[in-house]
Amino acid sequence: MKKQDRRAVIVGAGPGGLAAAVLLAKSGVKVTVVEKRGQVGGRTSTIERDGFKFDTGPTFFLYPQVLKEIFAAAGYDLDREVPMTRLDPQYRLVFGAGGELLATPNVERMEQAIAAISPEDARRFHQFLNHNRNKLAKFLPFLQSPFESWRDLAKPDMLKLLPLLAPWKSLDGDLQTHFQDERIRLGFSFQSKYLGMSPFRCPSLFSILSFLEYEHGVFHPTGGCGSVTRAMARIAEELGVEFLLDEPVERVMVERGKAVGVKTANHTLSADAVVVNADFAGAMRRMVPNSARRKWTDERLAKKKYSCSTFMMYLGIDGRYDDVSHHTIYLEKNYKQNLRDIEELHELSAEPSFYVQNASVTDPTLAPAGQSTLYVLLPVTHESDKVDWARETPRFRELAIRQMEKIGITGLEGRIRTEKILTPSGWAADFDLYKGATFSMAHSLDQMLHLRPHNRFEDIDQMYLVGGGTHPGSGLPVIFESARITSRLLLEDLEIEPQWEPQSNPMRGISLVGAAS
């Protein structure tokens, strides 16, 4: 078989699968993307109801550099294909313990905002930025490389980083070296929720998340984040990628330990490689017989730690709340108890913290004239025997509406014109998320790097993984990085030269087998 006749099937049209489709097609592989839902994007898709548009999951775009490089490699300009607005302020933080912080990428104004709460901490803001700029620069090559065994962790360059990464510290513990006021630390650590984790358990490495916001910006794509994945799918099609929508994969076909294609109700698709861009635990249990998995068996998957879930409300309303920021995060005074309720007790908080996106103050395309959208997220436990969502949903909805009054969203009930609610049970049913965990496996130290499912799947030859369930982890820029790592490995195994690597850097394909944070 000629190299240009090589075929790959990608299971799932989420952002990681779409990025891999673009990169593989650009290198001459014949790619088919099989998606169970009727639209592309996975959790990065658009919900449309009664003329209103909502992001399903991610509501902002962080560190667009990775996707810019992927678009450029395919011959496209991200800025032209997907117009984005850099937000300033980036978001408003409201503390139940008192005070608030209007987070801005303008360093001088941010220092002033911090000083209004803690003058001493304001003087340390520059120190925080410099420390994390150094941390990111030195760790970036490892985020851009596959981790396939403990030997990758034991490389001399990695061992030299240990004092800087301080893996023995939590994120909050690391921030204590910069900020004394707990509210300020929460302002630079709530981003651990992007990984579905508590800042008191999340590894200290992830202080780079808040740094990325201030250094590289928080962006709103016009039309929402779903516009990004729609553009990616269009580009993939222009490169020759075939899409099969409304086509759930029943099983990955495995012969003599190798993935040789996939089976759906309507198609049997043979392939030289299968890329799975679906929730890892859910996909393995549904698509791959337990007997075919040596390491990642059902029994082992059940013992792993999983992220939190989210209770979602997508509300189309009359009028607008112009005094409410594009992004608002409310951190209850009992925030630590909120986290304990989620991670340890697996029950619902009496006064939950929450997040609201009021994107219509920036983007009028999301709602009919004179109306607007509200996206409301409350972090909650993943599926648990302690919470019956069929019974709890009405009560928790009322609680969420009362909580929103704390950020100035009053009189909401009478203004709602369309509404959709998604609970952990809904995430599990509609998106095949194991336990309804919206951020896949937790990013604890014992489930990171080589201890996460590998990009080149270790249980089955010719099978590869992209997305938040594999290395490097969750979050859109990191997921795009996983696509670059996985695509390089797949092409290497097929003995095909990537057609999207910068020719001026011959070492990139050797030392950086993926790309970035």
Side-chain angles (χ1 to χ4, degrees), residues 201-212:
R201 293 187 176 186
C202 184
S204 63
L205 163 67
F206 292 107
S207 60
I208 62 176
L209 290 176
S210 57
F211 164 75
L212 283 172

Side-chain angles (χ1 to χ4, degrees), residues 111-151:
E111 287 175 332
Q112 293 170 357
I114 296 172
I117 295 176
S118 176
E120 185 63 29
D121 286 342
R123 289 189 282 272
R124 297 193 184 100
F125 181 50
H126 265 290
Q127 173 193 355
F128 166 81
L129 293 177
N130 291 336
H131 176 78
N132 281 279
R133 188 177 294 113
N134 185 40
K135 181 189 290 189
L136 177 63
K138 290 186 175 179
F139 190 65
L140 193 57
F142 297 96
L143 283 176
Q144 296 172 329
S145 304
F147 273 73
E148 299 192 292
S149 79
W150 63 267
R151 294 179 182 84

Side-chain angles (χ1 to χ4, degrees), residues 204-393:
S204 63
L205 163 67
F206 292 107
S207 60
I208 62 176
L209 290 176
S210 57
F211 164 75
L212 283 172
E213 295 177 343
Y214 292 97
E215 186 86 345
H216 296 283
V218 173
F219 293 84
H220 172 77
T222 301
C225 286
S227 63
V228 176
T229 50
R230 288 193 297 275
M232 295 173 72
R234 174 175 53 76
I235 290 170
E237 284 187 312
E238 292 173 4
L239 292 172
V241 175
E242 179 185 10
F243 284 84
L244 299 178
L245 302 181
D246 289 314
E247 196 78 33
V249 171
E250 295 177 347
R251 64 184 174 89
V252 175
M253 298 185 297
V254 180
E255 296 180 3
R256 295 185 295 277
K258 296 181 179 181
V260 296
V262 303
K263 181 78 172 65
T264 74
N266 302 309
H267 299 277
T268 298
L269 302 172
S270 298
D272 300 289
V274 174
V275 180
V276 176
N277 175 221
D279 178 70
F280 175 71
M284 291 302 104
R285 290 162 57 90
R286 185 166 59 85
M287 300 178 194
V288 181
N290 199 32
S291 59
R293 289 178 265 128
R294 303 181 302 275
K295 179 178 179 182
W296 293 100
T297 61
D298 289 352
E299 294 75 18
R300 185 174 185 189
L301 289 171
K303 294 177 181 178
K304 288 295 177 180
K305 292 174 279 192
Y306 292 87
S307 77
C308 70
S309 188
T310 56
F311 178 89
M312 309 296 307
M313 297 173 65
Y314 309 93
L315 306 176
I317 62 171
D318 281 335
R320 290 200 333 202
Y321 289 95
D322 286 327
D323 294 333
V324 176
S325 295
H326 185 117
H327 297 300
T328 302
I329 299 97
Y330 184 85
L331 300 167
E332 270 290 356
K333 57 181 177 295
N334 59 348
Y335 187 64
K336 286 185 178 180
Q337 183 60 46
N338 285 171
L339 297 173
R340 185 165 180 261
D341 292 339
I342 292 168
E343 296 186 340
E344 297 177 33
L345 302 178
H346 299 291
E347 33 184 65
L348 300 180
S349 298
E351 292 183 292
S353 300
F354 61 92
Y355 157 72
V356 174
Q357 181 208 39
N358 182 30
S360 293
V361 298
T362 300
D363 185 355
T365 72
L366 301 175
Q371 298 178 310
S372 60
T373 62
L374 292 177
Y375 166 113
V376 184
L377 181 156
L378 290 82
V380 294
T381 176
H382 55 57
E383 283 194 299
S384 163
D385 292 340
K386 294 185 178 181
V387 181
D388 177 0
W389 281 108
R391 180 172 58 86
E392 291 287 359
T393 295

Side-chain angles (χ1 to χ4, degrees), residues 15-84:
L18 293 170
V22 168
L23 295 171
L24 294 175
K26 180 64 178 176
S27 296
V29 178
K30 296 184 183 301
V31 179
T32 301
V33 178
V34 188
E35 167 58 47
K36 67 166 288 189
R37 304 177 75 233
Q39 63 175 328
V40 301
R43 280 165 276 171
T44 311
S45 58
T46 302
I47 297 170
E48 299 192 38
R49 293 172 65 97
D50 304 317
F52 296 90
K53 297 178 182 178
F54 308 89
D55 284 321
T56 303
T59 56
F60 64 90
F61 208 83
L62 181 65
Y63 196 58
Q65 182 61 31
V66 183
L67 193 58
K68 282 185 178 182
E69 292 176 7
I70 291 174
F71 270 54
Y76 294 80
D77 182 342
L78 176 62
D79 294 331
R80 184 179 298 115
E81 301 295 333
V82 187
M84 297 191 192

